[in-house]
Amino acid sequence: MDAQRIAVDALVALTDCDRDMVTTFIRRLYLSGVKDPKRLTFKGLQALAR
């Protein structure tokens, strides 16, 4: 849970996106096997850049 919280906080701070949308996206990544906060944040930024 800590990894998810860190990644969500980082993405919200960096992008000003909606916290609920970011939380849903990060939770999906976490459940698919990505457990590192840095990796979650990076993948989240990549997805938001599209």
Side-chain angles (χ1 to χ4, degrees):
M1 289 306 271
D2 240 10
Q4 290 180 47
R5 184 183 52 76
I6 292 167
V8 168
D9 289 345
L11 282 175
V12 169
L14 291 169
T15 63
D16 280 336
C17 285
D18 179 47
R19 183 173 279 280
D20 291 332
M21 179 194 71
V22 171
T23 301
T24 303
F25 182 76
I26 293 297
R27 186 167 292 135
R28 219 175 301 136
L29 283 174
Y30 189 83
L31 292 174
S32 73
V34 182
K35 305 293 185 190
D36 179 35
K38 287 184 236 169
R39 194 81 177 131
L40 286 169
T41 303
F42 180 71
K43 285 186 171 279
L45 286 172
Q46 279 183 322
L48 290 173
R50 291 184 198 149

